Amino acid sequence: MFLDTIRVSTRTSLSDSFLLQRPQLILLDVVGPSWWYADITLDTVALDASQRLAVLVTDAPARRAPTICPLLDSEINVEMSNLYSTQTKARPLNMNMEELLTFYGILLASGYTTVPRRRMHWSVDDDVHNECISNAMRRNRFDEIMASLHFVDNTKITEDPFFKVRPIFTELNASYKVMPYSEWLAVDESMIRYYGHHGCKQFIRGKPFRFGYKIWSLASHKGYMHHMEPYGGRFTLLPQTRLGQGPTVVLGLAEQGEVPKGCKFYHDNLFTSLSLLDEMTKRGYGSCGTIRDNRLFDVPFTPKNEFNKLPRGTTQVLTEGEKLLVRWKDNNVVTMATNIKRHAYDQVRQPQCIKQYNEHMGGVDLHDQQASRYSITIRSKKWWWPIFAWSLNSALVNSHYFYRDVMGGTIDLLTFTRVVAQSLIKRFGTKPLNHGRRSLLAITVQDQARYDQVSHWPINTGNRFFRCRVCDKRTTYACEKCNTSLHIECFKAYHIK
């Protein structure tokens, strides 16, 4: 489950250029599915074990602290993950809330600290060592949590193909309603990249990721995601309207998203039909989109092949009731259907409906672009993992929009992501007592310097508890270059093959 974002009024702020010194995290109680505001000080925060929320607080003065993305409800996730480990592995995971929040922080950090393999995040080699991650959680513990992470009880499985991730969409949609709706909304498809085997995997030509899970999305023209619903065939949880798939998606998102009357929807030709315009007019919504010729029926437009021969800028306009149909010759023939405005042109003789469509249609694509900038790079073979990772990135992007547009923040998405990730890691992480064995690469690199016979000098460390690498007896001497404890008598034997 996802928690909700709140704003904190404190004498704190973020640096616009880099992470602030010593960021701290506090926990605040959250009541209900909506976001709320509270004036607090660091001395009056109560740590409750019910619903909790991580909020970043910094030491710099005079501005607002940023919100954090809605995180999964820790209590339920801890319970379900521990239950799944007991059911499948016959041993308890014994995961606590602090470990889960640290786990999320490491996932977010992997979006901007990319390495070819997941385990390299914990490597002690100089070229890939990540002190922040390796000091927060042991690698084996991270693997255990990742293998047992769950959101539902598998013994209560249903026919829903997205049963395992349904709570994610439910709670995210509830949390996203905090942002006021803008006048212009975009309806489109989002794709979550996935190349494995699953019955709901789709192929959409022309998308940045052609294979994956399809998500029906409702977003503002600036990119804030208001509502989303995964496409699962007959199991798609949208109200049926008998108007076809496209109109059903638009009307269903408007109904489930509780969009207020007066908002204007922009969509492409997959969704637009004349029956959709009529229904949207009845419900008090504006609707505008490109429309396919096979949905125009008996509309007396000039045939497309003849219209394409006319000069560029030629326009043909038809009206019926509240519906306005516009055919315009640009580089190609464009046909628009709308109930928003009557026929009007701008300075270059472009119909206003086409100009507004170009300005407000790209909200879903903008959100997808932002979510993919610093997407989680840690991968899993589980079919639902790409959905979980994408939802975490999507929630983070929405939180950044909220911080920027509502709270007046100025830091960019990268800095915001780093603040959230490092705050979770440093606040809830537990530093291991010692590091594991050296990697084969580190041993190989050290051996190259061991036998080069250049600048190897014995030094007295003053510590009599070190053991010689050759004879394993105690010695106070070591090689200055190799940083290896050695007797003077064993010095030559160690440096010769």
Side-chain angles (χ1 to χ4, degrees):
M1 299 289 183
F2 282 81
L3 288 184
D4 314 298
T5 303
I6 66 173
R7 182 171 64 176
V8 182
S9 299
T10 62
R11 294 174 296 173
T12 60
S13 71
L14 283 177
S15 170
D16 294 342
S17 58
F18 198 70
L19 294 177
L20 289 178
Q21 299 178 353
R22 303 178 64 83
Q24 303 175 3
L25 267 164
I26 59 176
L27 296 176
L28 299 180
D29 297 339
V30 179
V31 181
S34 60
W35 293 351
W36 51 273
Y37 304 94
D39 291 324
I40 66 167
T41 62
L42 294 181
D43 298 331
T44 61
V45 177
L47 300 182
D48 188 7
S50 59
Q51 283 185 310
R52 300 202 260 182
L53 180 66
V55 179
L56 179 70
V57 179
T58 59
D59 298 330
R63 284 196 299 173
R64 299 284 187 176
T67 56
I68 195 174
C69 67
L71 293 176
L72 293 179
D73 187 292
S74 303
E75 295 289 348
I76 295 179
N77 288 349
V78 168
E79 180 184 353
M80 292 296 105
S81 299
N82 289 333
L83 176 63
Y84 177 77
S85 178
T86 304
Q87 291 173 343
T88 60
K89 300 177 175 59
R91 58 185 177 87
L93 179 64
N94 294 327
M95 180 177 65
N96 55 43
M97 191 185 325
E98 287 73 19
E99 287 182 315
L100 185 61
L101 293 174
T102 305
F103 178 81
Y104 291 147
I106 294 174
L107 291 181
L108 294 177
S110 72
Y112 58 85
T113 56
T114 306
V115 290
R117 297 169 183 162
R118 180 181 75 215
R119 293 194 163 195
M120 292 179 70
H121 285 293
W122 285 266
S123 173
V124 296
D125 298 333
D126 294 337
D127 57 339
V128 295
H129 179 60
N130 191 317
E131 184 176 359
C132 182
I133 292 178
S134 60
N135 286 344
M137 179 181 289
R138 297 300 295 263
R139 184 192 67 189
N140 291 345
R141 184 58 176 171
F142 181 91
D143 292 342
E144 291 176 354
I145 295 176
M146 186 172 175
S148 300
L149 185 67
H150 248 66
F151 314 105
V152 291
D153 184 358
N154 281 357
T155 61
K156 301 178 181 180
I157 193 170
T158 65
E159 293 183 347
D160 183 3
F162 293 102
F163 166 77
K164 287 182 178 289
V165 293
R166 182 62 64 181
I168 296 178
F169 292 101
T170 302
E171 296 305 320
L172 268 183
N173 288 331
S175 298
Y176 289 170
K177 289 182 174 61
V178 65
M179 177 70 85
Y181 280 94
S182 64
E183 182 181 359
W184 305 282
L185 302 173
V187 176
D188 205 349
E189 306 156 301
S190 295
M191 288 292 289
I192 301 177
R193 178 170 51 183
Y194 180 69
Y195 298 108
H197 297 280
H198 193 272
C200 293
K201 187 177 74 171
Q202 300 287 305
F203 170 79
I204 301 182
R205 192 182 305 276
K207 287 289 185 180
F209 306 125
R210 295 183 299 167
F211 294 92
Y213 302 109
K214 181 166 67 175
I215 308 295
W216 300 122
S217 302
L218 173 67
S220 70
H221 68 291
K222 292 184 178 180
Y224 183 89
M225 184 74 71
H226 287 287
H227 197 87
M228 54 188 177
E229 178 62 36
Y231 173 72
R234 65 188 180 93
F235 296 101
T236 305
L237 303 184
L238 289 175
Q240 296 301 313
T241 62
R242 297 185 179 181
L243 299 179
Q245 184 188 64
T248 296
V249 171
V250 177
L251 295 170
L253 291 177
E255 179 179 337
Q256 291 189 348
E258 301 177 4
V259 181
K261 293 183 179 180
C263 291
K264 301 176 177 61
F265 289 74
Y266 293 85
H267 34 77
D268 59 25
N269 57 26
L270 174 65
F271 305 94
T272 311
S273 69
L274 299 181
S275 58
L276 172 64
L277 296 184
D278 292 334
E279 186 64 27
M280 293 289 278
T281 302
K282 293 179 182 178
R283 300 191 182 192
Y285 298 127
S287 180
C288 179
T290 55
I291 188 169
R292 299 174 181 177
D293 289 343
N294 59 5
R295 298 181 183 178
L296 293 175
F297 303 108
D298 297 328
V299 176
F301 268 135
T302 302
K304 191 172 182 178
N305 56 352
E306 297 181 11
F307 196 83
N308 200 29
K309 300 176 182 178
L310 299 177
R312 182 175 181 177
T314 303
T315 305
Q316 189 174 10
V317 181
L318 299 174
T319 63
E320 181 186 21
E322 297 293 330
K323 296 190 293 289
L324 172 68
L325 302 180
V326 179
R327 174 162 284 181
W328 185 54
K329 173 64 167 60
D330 191 26
N331 293 334
N332 204 346
V333 177
V334 180
T335 305
M336 302 286 296
T338 180
N339 65 352
I340 295 177
K341 281 189 176 181
R342 290 299 182 183
H343 180 53
Y345 293 94
D346 60 9
Q347 294 180 357
V348 295
R349 297 289 297 174
Q350 182 188 48
Q352 282 287 345
C353 60
I354 294 179
K355 178 183 177 181
Q356 294 175 359
Y357 177 85
N358 292 334
E359 291 177 351
H360 306 308
M361 177 55 200
V364 175
D365 293 334
L366 181 60
H367 182 92
D368 290 343
Q369 181 188 41
Q370 293 290 84
S372 64
R373 284 185 182 275
Y374 312 108
S375 59
I376 294 171
T377 57
I378 293 178
R379 302 172 63 184
S380 171
K381 292 184 179 180
K382 295 181 178 180
W383 67 266
W384 53 264
W385 181 265
I387 300 177
F388 163 70
W390 177 87
S391 64
L392 201 57
N393 287 123
S394 176
L396 189 69
V397 170
N398 265 13
S399 294
H400 180 252
Y401 278 125
F402 185 86
Y403 163 69
R404 186 192 65 184
D405 297 340
V406 177
M407 301 176 62
T410 57
I411 64 173
D412 59 11
L413 179 61
L414 175 58
T415 306
F416 186 85
T417 304
R418 295 180 64 194
V419 168
V420 172
Q422 292 195 37
S423 299
L424 288 173
I425 290 173
K426 291 182 178 181
R427 172 62 177 85
F428 299 104
T430 301
K431 186 175 181 179
L433 298 178
N434 51 50
H435 292 288
R437 294 174 297 177
R438 295 183 303 163
S439 66
L440 178 61
L441 175 63
I443 297 174
T444 303
V445 171
Q446 185 175 9
D447 286 346
Q448 294 294 326
R450 171 182 173 182
Y451 301 117
D452 62 6
Q453 299 183 6
V454 177
S455 301
H456 293 275
W457 304 105
I459 59 173
N460 192 337
T461 63
N463 193 327
R464 60 187 180 89
F465 295 102
F466 290 154
R467 292 188 176 273
C468 176
R469 183 64 65 87
V470 177
C471 65
D472 201 36
K473 295 180 180 179
R474 296 186 185 276
T475 179
T476 60
Y477 290 93
C479 175
E480 182 179 26
K481 182 176 182 179
C482 300
N483 194 23
T484 302
S485 299
L486 294 167
H487 283 111
I488 298 297
E489 297 79 5
C490 302
F491 204 84
K492 182 177 179 180
Y494 178 78
H495 291 98
I496 295 177
K497 291 185 178 180

